[in-house]
């Protein structure tokens, strides 16, 4: 329905329900509301990742050095977009925060390790070979980490984890930080910190749907009839 002749015929049909309001006043007010509506940005629709401000469980935002800073949410989403399971994305993104504070260029362990996960020696060299450079981007490091995880026995433990504690233990077996032993994975360096970062992403993976129907509905802009119902008194309802 247009705001020109169409709105006039609509108003004639509902005039008795809305009362004696001048046609020109109605048109002017509705035009004003439509202009104000179109000037406002639409509400964001969740296309696979819930904005960080709306997370039920917050995801860490490490600083990093990738221009405005890599965040755990961005890393998590990268993994999901690459086909990672939610558990894989939660574990790998949480471990990256713990290992490097999301700085993809950090050097570890007196030069023997590099990057987001601190890959050392043969693992570091394999990552460099995979990326074709000794300064791989965070995206290249992430793609290597996912590929490497899936080639190792820890992958099954990661994907079978039912809660953040189990997922962190699986992640410790993958990272094998200082103090880790097979008999006592929780003795590894910063176990509780790693668990907190993984729990944030795990909570997100459980609570955030791939697309929010509610968000999609809230982003709908009102049409002329919606605006009229809001603008004018309505002694008896008008159905569509």
């Amino acid at each position: 329905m247009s705001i020109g002749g169409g709105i006039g015929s609509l108003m004639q049909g509902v005039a008795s329900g809305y009362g004696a309001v001048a046609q020109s006043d109605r048109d002017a007010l509705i035009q004003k509301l439509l202009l104000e509506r179109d000037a406002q940005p639409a509400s964001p629709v969740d296309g696979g990742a819930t904005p960080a401000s709306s997370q039920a469980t917050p995801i860490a935002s490490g600083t990093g050095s990738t221009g405005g800073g890599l965040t755990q949410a961005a890393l998590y989403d990268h993994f999901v977009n690459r086909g990672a399971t939610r558990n894989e994305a939660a574990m790998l993104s949480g471990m990256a925060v713990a290992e490097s504070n999301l700085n993809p260029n950090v050097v570890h362990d007196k030069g023997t390790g590099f990057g987001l996960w601190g890959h050392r020696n043969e693992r570091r060299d394999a990552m460099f070979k995979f990326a074709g450079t000794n300064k791989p981007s965070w995206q290249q490091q992430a793609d290597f980490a996912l590929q490497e995880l899936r080639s190792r026995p820890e992958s099954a433990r990661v994907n079978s984890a039912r809660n953040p504690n189990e997922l962190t233990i699986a992640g410790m077996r993958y990272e094998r930080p200082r103090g880790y032993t097979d008999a006592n994975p929780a003795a590894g360096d910063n176990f509780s910190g790693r668990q907190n970062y993984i729990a944030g992403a795990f909570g997100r993976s459980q609570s955030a749907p791939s697309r929010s129907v509610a968000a999609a509905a809230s982003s709908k802009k009102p049409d002329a009839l919606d605006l009229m119902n809001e603008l004018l008194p309505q002694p008896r309802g008008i159905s569509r």
Side-chain angles (χ1 to χ4, degrees):
M1 182 180 294
S2 68
I3 302 300
I7 197 67
S9 60
L10 175 61
M11 295 303 299
Q12 289 176 5
V14 300
S16 60
Y18 280 101
V21 178
Q23 179 72 47
S24 61
D25 291 341
R26 288 194 196 75
D27 287 347
L29 287 169
I30 291 173
Q31 287 280 15
K32 179 176 180 294
L33 286 175
L34 286 170
L35 288 172
E36 291 176 351
R37 177 204 69 180
D38 292 337
Q40 297 177 352
S43 300
V45 176
D46 182 2
T50 304
S53 61
S54 64
Q55 296 298 331
T57 306
I59 291 185
S61 55
T63 53
S65 58
T66 54
L70 175 63
T71 65
Q72 188 180 358
L75 184 57
Y76 178 97
D77 289 340
H78 177 83
F79 281 124
V80 172
N81 290 335
R82 284 290 196 267
T85 66
R86 301 288 182 173
N87 274 17
E88 289 170 339
M91 187 280 285
L92 287 170
S93 66
M95 284 292 180
V97 181
E99 286 289 336
S100 65
N101 196 31
L102 299 177
N103 181 347
N105 301 314
V106 67
V107 175
H108 301 257
D109 301 314
K110 299 180 180 181
T112 63
F114 181 84
L116 292 171
W117 290 273
H119 290 318
R120 300 182 63 218
N121 302 324
E122 294 85 358
R123 295 175 75 187
R124 177 202 59 190
D125 294 343
M127 178 177 66
F128 289 166
K129 182 177 180 180
F130 172 88
T133 175
N134 289 355
K135 294 289 186 181
S137 68
W138 71 261
Q139 293 94 335
Q140 290 172 321
Q141 293 181 43
D143 292 347
F144 173 78
L146 180 60
Q147 174 182 283
E148 187 203 37
L149 172 64
R150 289 179 168 180
S151 71
R152 294 174 51 165
E154 293 86 3
S155 177
R157 290 179 178 270
V158 166
N159 285 303
S160 64
R162 298 163 295 178
N163 54 59
N165 184 64
E166 290 183 1
L167 189 53
T168 305
I169 290 174
M172 296 297 277
R173 295 182 184 279
Y174 168 74
E175 279 292 330
R176 296 178 179 268
R178 180 181 56 212
Y180 165 88
T181 64
D182 288 340
N184 187 11
D189 182 59
N190 193 25
F191 179 86
S192 61
R194 296 170 192 270
Q195 186 174 36
N196 286 337
Y197 294 130
I198 289 173
F202 187 87
R204 179 181 194 235
S205 69
Q206 299 301 311
S207 63
S210 60
R211 179 177 176 83
S212 170
V213 175
S218 68
S219 68
K220 174 184 176 291
K221 290 184 176 182
D223 58 21
L225 187 56
D226 293 325
L227 292 170
M228 287 166 55
N229 283 331
E230 180 179 340
L231 173 65
L232 302 173
Q234 185 174 338
R236 58 176 180 271
I238 295 178
S239 59
R240 295 182 182 277

